[in-house]
Amino acid sequence: MSTRVAKRQSVMRKEPKQARSRVTVEAIVEAGARILAEEGWAGFTTNRIAEVAGVSIGSLYQYFPDKLALVDAIRHRHLNDSMEVMRRVRADGISPEQFATQLVAAVVAIHSIHPGLHRVLLDEAPTFEKYRDPHSDFEREYLTYYAEAVATFRKRAPNEADHVAGRVISDAIDGVIHNAARRGAVSDPMMQLELVRLVRSYLADDRYS
């Protein structure tokens, strides 16, 4: 993620509890994501976000004390959405090629929503220390997902070698997808095919059977 780390973390003023409040917050987060994608960090102002979301600036500040809190919510939503699409792709009962194809398609799809957003989140927007925490709940689930997939194709319960392999695969996918986002090439079909080939070849290596 971004190397610009904000040590002070802004958080939402309050969590929306009623349906109407949740709709308002979702509209604000979606507007913020669109602005980051289309106008970059420089265009990411609370007035502009409120305008695009169709809410008053007071409504925005009711939930978000500043734009750092909002960019944190945008980043958090992206991580949750990424994990959700990955949970739908399971290694059980399919071949390494099928798994790699489905997984790459899922990761590409989630990064194709507001494709310019990811470059800004990676290179322009400040981030918080929690997104560098290797022991966060997200990171543990994320890496365990890959380790379990590796172990499935090696026909055993996950062990330390599978966790290492899982980190290698996850870093490979992250690196390729995030650099493609920086270049505006997430939708490049050749990039996707090569990434599938990389993951499939690694998982299908019979030395680990």
Side-chain angles (χ1 to χ4, degrees):
M1 298 299 280
S2 171
T3 57
R4 299 172 56 201
V5 178
K7 293 184 179 179
R8 178 185 67 83
Q9 181 176 345
S10 292
V11 296
M12 289 183 68
R13 290 187 189 278
K14 66 176 183 178
E15 292 289 336
K17 298 186 182 302
Q18 298 181 343
R20 183 175 179 181
S21 298
R22 290 194 293 270
V23 168
T24 298
V25 168
E26 179 57 28
I28 293 168
V29 173
E30 175 63 18
R34 283 177 52 195
I35 292 166
L36 281 177
E38 297 170 8
E39 302 177 29
W41 182 248
F44 189 73
T45 67
T46 52
N47 285 327
R48 177 70 177 134
I49 295 160
E51 176 189 358
V52 172
V55 303
S56 68
I57 191 69
S59 293
L60 187 151
Y61 283 125
Q62 183 180 0
Y63 297 100
F64 300 98
D66 52 37
K67 65 181 187 179
L68 288 180
L70 180 52
V71 79
D72 184 54
I74 292 167
R75 191 175 265 118
H76 186 70
R77 183 179 74 166
H78 170 63
L79 293 177
N80 283 344
D81 289 348
S82 296
M83 200 67 248
E84 182 58 34
V85 298
M86 289 171 59
R87 291 187 190 112
R88 298 173 194 159
V89 180
R90 307 306 306 176
D92 311 76
I94 61 176
S95 68
E97 180 164 6
Q98 289 171 318
F99 176 77
T101 300
Q102 292 176 27
L103 179 60
V104 169
V107 174
V108 166
I110 204 66
H111 284 80
S112 297
I113 301 171
H114 306 309
L117 170 65
H118 310 290
R119 179 190 59 77
V120 179
L121 290 179
L122 288 164
D123 297 330
E124 297 182 23
T127 190
F128 301 114
E129 292 285 3
K130 69 178 182 179
Y131 292 109
R132 297 183 178 279
D133 180 5
H135 306 296
S136 68
D137 290 343
F138 172 83
E139 192 72 1
R140 283 198 297 267
E141 181 178 3
Y142 186 69
L143 293 178
T144 296
Y145 170 89
Y146 283 104
E148 289 178 346
V150 170
T152 295
F153 292 114
R154 295 179 181 178
K155 299 179 175 59
R156 64 192 184 198
N159 62 20
E160 182 58 28
D162 300 327
H163 281 274
V164 172
R167 289 197 297 271
V168 171
I169 295 175
S170 69
D171 286 351
I173 292 175
D174 285 351
V176 170
I177 294 294
H178 288 161
N179 280 314
R182 287 185 170 102
R183 301 182 184 109
V186 172
S187 62
D188 180 359
M190 290 302 296
M191 177 276 292
Q192 296 173 33
L193 285 173
E194 288 300 314
L195 185 53
V196 167
R197 188 161 72 93
L198 184 155
V199 175
R200 178 202 65 207
S201 298
Y202 195 88
L203 290 173
D205 191 331
D206 60 12
R207 289 177 298 172
Y208 299 109
S209 300

